[in-house]
Amino acid sequence: VQLQASGGGLVQPGGSLRLSCAASGLSLEDYAVGWFRQAPGGERERVSCVDNVIGRRWYPDSVKGRFTISGDKANNMVHLQMSSLKSEDTAVYYCAVDHSCGFPEEGLYWGKGTLVTVSS
């Protein structure tokens, strides 16, 4: 099983980016897929989750209204559309899968991260 996050880069404050999580070896539609981030010196923070089994999405208040998670069943991918980006969104972003958005297994599988830098 492999998960690969991509789409990071440098963006100005107020800008947008779309991250993608591609999976091989499993079908994302059978799992909950979460996006996490970790800023330098900071703790890992979950920023979005979609439970593909029951069709629910979750966002923390820090990104609600700015981030949107969506599934791409045909390509076995999950995307994270980020808009109105702020400097505090700067972090390495990771995707992971688990049985539910509560992440009871603390992530069955994790992908390598993609760096998002929000700076003018």
Side-chain angles (χ1 to χ4, degrees):
V1 175
Q2 283 191 328
L3 298 177
Q4 180 64 55
S6 62
L10 174 63
V11 62
Q12 292 187 341
S16 299
L17 276 178
R18 189 177 83 153
L19 305 183
S20 297
C21 178
S24 60
L26 58 76
S27 177
L28 291 180
E29 66 178 357
D30 296 331
Y31 294 90
V33 182
W35 281 97
F36 297 75
R37 68 186 180 189
Q38 188 164 19
E43 295 186 352
R44 190 173 64 197
E45 173 190 13
R46 188 168 11 150
V47 295
S48 185
C49 185
V50 57
D51 189 324
N52 286 319
V53 177
I54 62 175
R56 286 186 183 168
R57 291 168 172 76
W58 173 90
Y59 307 93
D61 288 343
S62 58
V63 308
K64 197 173 291 183
R66 301 189 299 120
F67 289 12
T68 303
I69 191 169
S70 62
D72 180 353
K73 188 181 298 187
N75 294 301
N76 202 26
M77 298 175 76
V78 168
H79 305 292
L80 184 68
Q81 180 68 46
M82 307 185 297
S83 59
S84 302
L85 284 164
K86 308 174 183 179
S87 58
E88 52 261 45
D89 295 318
T90 294
V92 178
Y93 285 70
Y94 303 85
C95 60
V97 300
D98 210 313
H99 295 302
S100 73
C101 282
F103 268 65
E105 305 293 337
E106 298 188 351
L108 293 167
Y109 303 100
W110 288 84
K112 293 182 180 179
T114 185
L115 175 63
V116 173
T117 303
V118 184
S119 175
S120 55

